[in-house]
């Protein structure tokens, strides 16, 4: 938009809204990173900050939804302009949801710091969260650059998150089997892992929106799916296997 | 809309879209009911049907989103008409998500039928799902009748779902502590319970939209929240307590 010499009123409005969307994206990226960091460091204060910041993310979502509604009413965009505004609304809704999952991670952290730590779990979760955050960065980049290839790439990477989740799921089961005192903390950790996996789904949904915006068509299939998680309790011989 | 003698083109379009929205709502209600029934009866075939039907729900969501975009482009509604179209888009998105959770319940059912049953769990989940489904019925009713009071009532009832979830969470923990062979199935059952709790959140979000549509303002606070779940492992003396 910025390289157009004569910008229409619609373009100016859109640019402002998109700036808010990118600001929101940055806040959500921070929430993922800080949420995982608070878990890793058992830092209740940081977890508290993440929880508080989610209110700001929600407020920004509401603001963006209202700005979009206003643009629809005032500028009455059609064709690709209309599609762009609707995409912004959907991307903001996805970001809001990802922010919720990050808040939830922080919420469970404040509980987990009072429980005995589970070997290696918070590090594995931090890596998983790191991957989700980097996917989000790229998905927002793909949106701004209208880069369908990058969006396709993001979709593919969701497989990795799914695989990381499946590996963790098996590990938590093993820990719980080994010692019932691990059950409570493993349930929380499992939920955190599941929520990061869901973040991946929402990032994928943003990537889908970008592809739709650029090509006019949704990606061929529903997003690629990794192997279904192995729902059986691992036998002791498999305990060391990562998935 | 139907009691207007001279309906505008916009009104006719909206009526058609709303009919699709209600059809989608009915399909999602069915998915919740049948998903819970498949779990209760350990009926893999029914679970399979629920999973397949979710594709139809997703397709209807896509259709509604497109119809709304088309109405925005063609009729360029403003003020309350615009707000209505945007509400329909959001309600459809919420329905799609609730459908996903019902599909997930069916997916886990196909795994759970091959595990030893947990006493009373599927019955409790069926009751919880029944409450979520009845809330949804009322939320959609509130939408069609533009009834903010009914919508407020729906919001309040989400507390009950939260309480049912908290009680189940404690029960599952107890089962897992008692016998590690219960861990795997309790993890699945716990996820199902959590997903129903999330259905409640999405129904609440539909109710919020209705209130916004009728009054022009979002409900005062974020939705009411029950007591935070008790994250501690219940001591044996509390085992019988329901939360």
């Amino acid at each position: 938009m910025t390289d157009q010499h004569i910008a229409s009123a619609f373009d100016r409005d859109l640019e402002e809204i998109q700036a808010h969307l990118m600001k929101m994206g940055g806040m959500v990226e921070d929430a993922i990173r800080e949420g995982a960091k608070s878990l890793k460091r058992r830092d209740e204060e940081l977890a508290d900050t993440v929880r508080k910041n989610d209110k700001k993310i929600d407020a920004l979502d509401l603001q963006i939804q209202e700005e979009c509604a206003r643009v629809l009413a005032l500028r009455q965009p059609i064709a690709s302009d209309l599609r762009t505004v609707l995409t912004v609304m959907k991307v903001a809704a996805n970001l809001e949801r990802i922010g919720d999952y990050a808040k939830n991670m922080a919420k469970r952290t404040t509980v987990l710091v009072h429980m005995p730590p589970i070997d290696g779990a918070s590090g594995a979760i931090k890596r998983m969260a790191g991957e989700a955050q980097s996917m989000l960065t790229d998905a927002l980049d793909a949106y701004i650059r209208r880069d369908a290839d990058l969006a396709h790439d993001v979709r593919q990477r969701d497989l990795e998150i799914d695989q990381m989740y499946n590996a963790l799921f098996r590990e938590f089961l093993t820990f719980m089997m080994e010692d019932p005192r691990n059950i409570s903390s493993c349930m929380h950790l499992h939920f955190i892992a599941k929520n990061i996996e869901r973040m991946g789904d929402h990032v994928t949904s943003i990537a889908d929106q970008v592809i739709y915006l650029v090509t006019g068509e949704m990606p061929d299939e529903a997003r690629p799916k990794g192997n279904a998680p192995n729902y059986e309790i691992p036998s002791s011989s498999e305990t060391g296997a990562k998935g």
Side-chain angles (χ1 to χ4, degrees), chain A:
Chain A
M1 296 289 141
T2 44
D3 55 359
Q4 277 182 290
H5 289 289
I6 301 163
S8 68
F10 171 79
D11 287 338
R12 281 196 308 273
D13 287 349
L14 181 63
E15 213 171 312
E16 196 181 326
I17 296 173
Q18 285 187 146
H20 294 158
L21 187 70
M22 290 304 117
K23 185 181 165 195
M24 188 182 174
M27 285 164 75
V28 173
E29 286 174 40
D30 288 348
I32 302 174
R33 187 175 32 242
E34 305 289 285
K37 197 196 276 178
S38 74
L39 175 68
K40 182 88 177 23
R41 295 192 184 166
R42 300 170 77 80
D43 183 340
E44 247 180 302
E45 207 173 315
L46 184 56
D48 221 47
T49 308
V50 173
R51 292 171 71 167
K52 275 184 197 138
N53 283 344
D54 189 57
K55 287 204 177 43
K56 293 181 200 158
I57 294 175
D58 288 354
L60 199 46
D61 173 40
L62 212 62
Q63 187 188 331
I64 291 170
Q65 302 293 344
E66 274 166 12
E67 286 169 346
C68 285
R70 203 172 149 268
V71 161
L72 289 176
L74 273 183
R75 313 292 178 204
Q76 314 224 316
I78 55 166
S80 83
D81 287 345
L82 172 61
R83 209 198 286 163
T84 304
V85 176
L86 296 178
T87 301
V88 169
M89 295 177 89
K90 281 178 187 166
V91 171
N94 277 302
L95 286 175
E96 190 270 338
R97 191 54 54 115
I98 297 170
D100 270 358
Y101 288 131
K103 178 186 71 176
N104 195 275
M105 174 156 55
K107 222 161 156 178
R108 289 180 191 273
T109 290
T110 58
V111 178
L112 281 163
V113 293
H114 301 293
M115 295 178 176
I118 301 291
D119 258 2
S122 64
I125 282 178
K126 194 158 178 287
R127 280 191 296 281
M128 202 176 158
E131 179 60 25
Q133 184 222 309
S134 127
M135 273 173 66
L136 176 58
T137 307
D138 286 350
L140 293 173
D141 213 31
Y143 171 79
I144 282 298
R145 286 156 48 189
R146 303 290 189 267
D147 183 339
D149 288 341
L150 183 55
H152 274 293
D153 179 54
V154 168
R155 291 180 94 246
Q156 286 305 322
R157 278 159 62 197
D158 191 38
L159 283 173
E160 285 167 45
I161 300 249
D162 288 350
Q163 280 159 6
M164 285 163 122
Y165 166 71
N166 290 344
L168 269 172
F169 176 79
R170 292 170 66 81
E171 252 186 66
F172 292 144
L173 273 185
T174 312
F175 275 116
M176 289 195 274
M177 305 285 291
E178 274 171 14
D179 187 346
R181 282 171 300 182
N182 290 331
I183 288 179
S184 210
S185 43
C186 279
M187 300 261 295
H188 288 296
L189 288 165
H190 182 199
F191 259 118
I192 291 177
K194 184 72 193 171
N195 283 344
I196 298 174
E197 192 244 11
R198 289 210 175 97
M199 286 181 192
D201 294 346
H202 283 280
V203 175
T204 301
S205 165
I206 293 176
D208 286 350
Q209 292 297 326
V210 172
I211 292 166
Y212 182 65
L213 191 60
V214 178
T215 68
E217 276 175 36
M218 286 297 262
D220 252 10
E221 305 186 33
R223 72 199 184 78
K225 260 308 206 184
N227 291 328
N230 185 335
Y231 286 111
E232 298 305 313
I233 294 180
S235 72
S236 56
S237 65
E238 297 174 304
T239 298
K242 283 280 188 173

